[in-house]
Each structure stands twice: as C-alpha cells, then as structure tokens.
Amino acid sequence: MRTVQGAALDGLKARVRALAERTGLPVRSTRGEPRTPGGPAVRPRPAQRPARTPRGHVPLADPGPAAQPPGTDSPARRASMSTPFRRQPAAPARTAALMAPAASPAAATTVFAALGALLSGTGRPRTIRRRPDDVRASASAAVLRALRARHGDAPALVRTRSGKTLLVLLDPRDLRRFYAEPVTVLAADPPRKCRGLSTHEPDHEGDGTGCARGEHRAERRRMNADVLAPGQPVHPAAGPILTVVSEEARHLTAAGTLELARARHAASRAARRIVLGDPAAEDDELAGWLTQLRAEDKRLRGGPRRAARSVHDKARARIREYVRRAGEDTLAGRAARLADPAGTDGAADPGDESRLWLLAMDAVPDTLLRTLLLLGAHPCEQDAAAAEAAAEVAAGPARGELPRLRACVRESLRLYPVVPDLIRVTRAETEWRGVRHPAGTSVLLPAAFHQRDPERVPAAHVFVPGRWKNPGADQDIRMAPFSHGGGRCPGDQLGLMITAAFCAEVLRGHRITATRPVLDPVGPLPVTLDPHGVRLTLTRR
C-alpha cells in the first residue's frame, strides 16, 4: 500500500533530478536508480580502461574518454589528469547528513533509517549499526531535532527501513496525552527484553504482563499496590529489606575495586532474598536459569524456543516452591497472603508476580554503578551523599528515606534511563494535531531524547541532582525515569530505596577515588554509558 511519505519522497526525488539537470550538480542515487551524470563528484575514468561488458551482451561503442584533456575548460569543472582524486572523509559527511534537513533522496533515506535505530528489533542501516553506542545515540538525537524543526513540533509519521510506520511524539504537550490515554486507546507495547520472560504471554486483548511496568488486570494491580507500596518512600517492610542490603553490600566493598560483575552478584543475591527469602540467596541454579532466559530472549525470533520454554518451566516451578515457604517479611510472602486461595481464572499468581519482580530488579546493579560513577566524578556531591549516609544510621524510624541519594539515583536514571523509548499501539482510530491515524499505529515516545533535550531541559547533559528537590519535579512530564500515569512502574519507590541504600552502604565507609571512564564534571556527559566498562577504585575513609 502506498503511503503519504512514499509519495512525498518520490516528489522530492523528481525535484532534485530537475535541479540537477539545470545546474549540473551531482545526485547520489539510491539502489535501483540510475546515477545522474555530471558534477564534481563524478570520478574521472582513465581513457585506457575499457568499459566492462556484461556477460552475454554486445559491447557498446567506445564513447571516448570520460574526462577532457588537460587544460580544457568545462562548464561544470576544470579537470586535470595529473591531479589525483581526493575523497572526502566519510564520517563527517554522514554526521552532516544526519544533522541537516534531507535535501536529497539519499539524505532522506539516511534520516528515516537512522530513526529506526531507536527501536530494538527494527532494521538498522549498516553505517549506524557499526558505530559506537554514544555516536549512534547522538545521531538519533540529531535526527529527532531535525524532524521537530521540519514538522513544527507536530507528531512526525516516519517509516523505518524495516517497513514499520511510527508516529513519533516530538512536543512535550503530546507527552501528557500519551501518558493519560487509557488502555482502550493506547495499548502498552512492552520492551522486547520482557516479552520472553513474562509469565503470561500477551494476548490480542493486551492483558499480558509484559514487564513490571505494563498493564495489569484488576487483581494484579491490587496485588502490586499492596505488596510494592507505590507512593510510599519507605516501604512497610523497610527494616528487613535494608538489613538484607547491608549484608549483601559487603560483596561490593570486599575488594579495592568495584565493577559490574561484583555489583550484579550482590544485587542478585539481595533481590532473591527480598523477594523469595534467605534460602534463595544461595540458589545459583535459579540465578543461572533466569540469566539463560534473558540471553535467549535477546536472540532473533525463531531460535531455540523449546529449550527456553523448558528452562522457563523449571524456573517457574522453583519459584513457586520458595513462595510456599516464604516468610511474611518477603515480597512473595506478602503476595501469598493476598492471593485467591481458590485460584480462579484471572487471579494474580504470587509465583508469577515474584518472577516479574526479580526481573525488574535487574536494573539495580546498572543504575547503582552509574550513580556511583557520577558521584565519583563530582567530589562535592559525593561528600554530601556520604554525610547523609553516615547520619542515616541514627535515623530510627525514618531510616531508608535518604532524599539526597534518591535524587542522585533519579538524576542517573534521567541521564541513562533503563527504557529509553516507550512504544504503544493504538487500538482505535486516533487524531493527533488534526491528523487521523488508523488503529494499529505504533506511537513512539523517545523518553531519553526528551529528558536530555537542551532546548527544553536546563543543563540537560550535566549531572544536577538538585533538580529533583524542586516541588513537583517528580510530576514533570518531560522526566519519565519511571513513566507516568497508569503505566507508571508500581515499584518505583521500592527500587529507589534499595538502590539508594546500596549507594549509602558503599559511601559510608569508602571513598571513590578513581573512576573509569573519566567523566568531565563540568562539561557535557556522554550520551550513553555502558556499565560493562565502568570500574571504580575504593579507598577506606
């Protein structure tokens, strides 16, 4: 089916060809189209080199030398056979093509293809796929800014190279509607990493769990609200949870360095104890099953799904065993008390929900390491956070609040969100800025772009935890580390409490004296920050 964008692109190609014919400028042809002759970009072919003849075809007549003899003037250029042809560097040219408006078919194709790199599972151009993550993210942000300048803040309907059509929201005014629309209008499209691990496969009605931040049925929403205590900075079971964090944090500071493997080990043990109970801390087999399922889900569709399903069943059975023996101070124990003993259809399963909570806590070690890295690059913020951690020991009932460290964790998630892009699918015909779109349209909200948009966010690329102390900062529609509206993560406060508590345990007795990579405390921070390359040096205070 022919799209409006395809017709517009064809018209643009025709105008560019007409302009090239009048001016003699070169036109970079796309695949399957003839190259427009003339212009300085045409590389001269030596006269003695014979033209290649396809097999089975009659050789054409010799058209003569492609370049004029030395000293002969040409209306398009002055060529010299003694002067070698110099090709411009490829990287700056691609960067300019991404940042400038599409003035040629090739540039337009580059813009739309680069936008496809924002989504997992969509086709990406080869030039962008091989780039470092930081360069690719910068290029994507440049494409979004160019789209916004071209469309005047209106939602842009683009088509990726994989053929998927997306309605991209570029204005913060449209973000509020995105979060406020009910599920009957916009259905959440869960991140791909959560689909294979969800305990209930998403059905055509969209009732699958997908991820911990997806839609829930009424019973499951009630269970998450009662167990995770959203909206409460200090969880009702904060005492046992903080005790677990304190005991497992010793793995973080056992050596003089801290890297991702050590952070994942400590956070994974703590997550199993908090969700399932102390006996699950030593269950390395369960940890391996969950890791295997996550690795299987990252592969392309059509892989060994039978083996993944077998591991899924074993992990599910093991978790249910822990749920039956879970204590009242664990999340699984609290969920078991709220579960329907009759097990009616549609009721929330404590075992399934417990596995989703374990999955959601996978974000803790990455966020913990990035937060400590940012604090290591800002000594004044590190000293203030360490002072708060030391005073928190005598806080008594208020233990677990840690407002300054929570602000640091929030700022880390603003700079490096766990889910950089949110996608929802329209269930009915919708209208955005006077344009109607049919049901089934994918709506993309580039959350990472809006959170670091220098045109709308002050000090967008700088670590400023103080911004989260302002009244109403948590409701700022531009900032969505935990999303907004009905799709907001129900465990946001619990995750903040656990991550801030881990940071406090590290800073209470140690100082971060060296970091890798080295961050500029004044200049803009990198767009992406791979936790695998983070290494912190710890010294005792």
Side-chain angles (χ1 to χ4, degrees), residues 65-378:
Q68 298 182 2
T72 304
D73 292 338
S74 171
R77 60 174 177 169
R78 178 171 295 176
S80 175
M81 298 298 294
S82 62
T83 304
F85 179 80
R86 296 181 181 180
R87 186 183 298 274
Q88 296 296 329
R94 293 194 189 99
T95 305
L98 288 172
M99 297 184 66
S104 68
T109 304
T110 304
V111 170
F112 293 132
L115 184 61
L118 292 171
L119 304 175
S120 61
T122 60
R124 301 179 182 180
R126 295 178 182 177
T127 55
I128 295 181
R129 183 186 302 172
R130 298 177 181 176
R131 292 181 179 180
D133 291 340
D134 193 68
V135 177
R136 182 167 61 245
S138 300
S140 300
V143 171
L144 291 172
R145 286 195 294 270
L147 284 175
R148 185 167 62 187
R150 185 179 307 147
H151 291 269
D153 289 346
L157 188 64
V158 301
R159 185 178 181 181
T160 64
R161 293 188 65 178
S162 63
K164 187 174 183 178
T165 303
L166 301 172
L167 184 64
V168 185
L169 304 183
L170 305 171
D171 191 345
R173 291 177 295 177
D174 294 320
L175 308 187
R176 192 174 303 278
R177 176 185 172 184
F178 178 89
Y179 292 121
E181 288 286 7
V183 68
T184 55
V185 178
L186 282 180
D189 188 12
R192 187 169 178 264
K193 69 176 183 178
C194 301
R195 291 175 185 170
L197 294 176
S198 60
T199 53
H200 300 281
E201 295 297 333
D203 54 21
H204 65 282
E205 296 295 336
D207 289 328
T209 59
C211 188
R213 66 179 63 215
E215 303 140 358
H216 300 275
R217 296 173 181 172
E219 288 295 326
R220 295 161 70 188
R221 287 198 300 267
R222 181 179 64 85
M223 178 176 289
N224 278 271
D226 292 341
V227 174
L228 302 180
Q232 299 185 33
V234 179
H235 195 272
I241 292 175
L242 294 178
T243 300
V244 169
V245 171
S246 178
E247 294 174 357
E248 298 300 335
R250 291 178 294 183
H251 297 283
L252 299 175
T253 58
T257 59
L258 177 58
E259 65 284 338
L260 183 59
R262 190 177 296 276
R264 285 183 173 176
H265 176 72
S268 178
R269 285 177 54 91
R272 293 195 297 272
R273 292 179 63 183
I274 292 171
V275 176
L276 303 176
D278 293 341
E282 304 295 336
D283 196 341
D284 295 333
E285 190 175 29
L286 174 60
W289 289 339
L290 296 177
T291 302
Q292 183 177 350
L293 287 175
R294 285 188 286 270
E296 290 290 343
D297 189 64
K298 292 180 181 179
R299 298 183 181 180
L300 296 176
R301 294 180 179 267
R305 305 303 297 175
R306 180 179 301 177
R309 178 58 61 184
S310 175
V311 175
H312 172 279
D313 294 338
K314 290 188 290 187
R316 188 176 187 181
R318 180 69 60 83
I319 290 175
R320 286 184 172 179
E321 293 179 4
Y322 283 118
V323 171
R324 285 194 291 267
R325 303 193 303 266
E328 296 184 355
D329 55 346
T330 63
L331 300 185
R334 294 169 63 90
R337 294 198 308 268
L338 300 172
D340 185 3
T344 58
D345 186 20
D349 187 344
D352 292 342
E353 298 302 318
S354 297
R355 196 160 68 88
L356 289 177
W357 297 333
L358 289 173
L359 173 64
M361 290 188 184
D362 283 346
V364 171
D366 295 6
T367 304
L368 167 66
L369 211 59
R370 291 191 181 107
T371 304
L372 292 176
L373 175 66
L374 291 169
L375 289 174
H378 298 79

Side-chain angles (χ1 to χ4, degrees), residues 389-432:
E392 197 258 352
V393 177
R399 185 186 178 199
E401 291 187 355
L402 297 172
R404 180 179 290 273
L405 270 172
R406 285 178 182 246
C408 294
V409 175
R410 286 180 182 272
E411 183 69 354
S412 174
L413 289 172
R414 181 191 71 84
L415 293 167
Y416 308 104
V418 177
V419 182
D421 303 298
L422 303 177
I423 307 176
R424 295 185 183 177
V425 181
T426 60
R427 289 185 169 181
E429 185 182 46
T430 57
E431 181 178 339
W432 296 82

